[in-house]
Amino acid sequence: VAGGIAGEEDFAMKKWIKRSFFIIIGILAVIQVVRPDRTNPVSNPGQHIRAVLPMHPEVEATFSRACNDCHSNNTVWPWYSNVAPVSWLVVSDVREGREKLNFSSFGAYGREKQQKLLGEICEQVREGEMPEIQYTLMHPQARLSDADRKTVCAWTSALAPHGRKHEEDEGDDD
């Protein structure tokens, strides 16, 4: 009798797993209909950061490799940005990145905001907050070396004296 009950429970469990599998597949198929807008807005080349600030080739290469997909209108949309629910996360990250800092429209920011953003670029790069881990997991070439971080911070400090002074003030506290 015990063997019969165990067999019935095993059969019920297999049936439940099979139904769950098909339900999940069905849900994944249905959510593919919800397609977020993956666009690269048209931008004025005269407003791009490289047009309004002198940019070292090393910094431009670092930005191109590690930053532009989320912080410019030149996003290269990877294949997985076509598959929900991952597509929703990717589009949301790009939208948020562009809202916080968009290299394609950097010239449209006022001088004070540009200075503030340059300081934030250095701070976030130096602290390892940018590029974000979920991006570097899928794009290992975007990982920044210590040399990349130093180059970016030297560049931003040269252009944003307020950011450099803030760093010097932090050093005085030691």
Side-chain angles (χ1 to χ4, degrees), residues 17 30 36 44-45 132 147 162:
I17 290 172
V30 169
N44 177 350
E132 292 183 340
H162 299 301

Side-chain angles (χ1 to χ4, degrees), residues 33-45:
V33 175
V34 180
R35 313 281 289 167
D37 190 19
R38 297 176 324 127
T39 61
N40 287 334
V42 176
S43 50
N44 177 350

Side-chain angles (χ1 to χ4, degrees), residues 1-12:
V1 175
I5 293 173
E8 289 175 23
E9 288 176 359
D10 190 40
F11 176 76

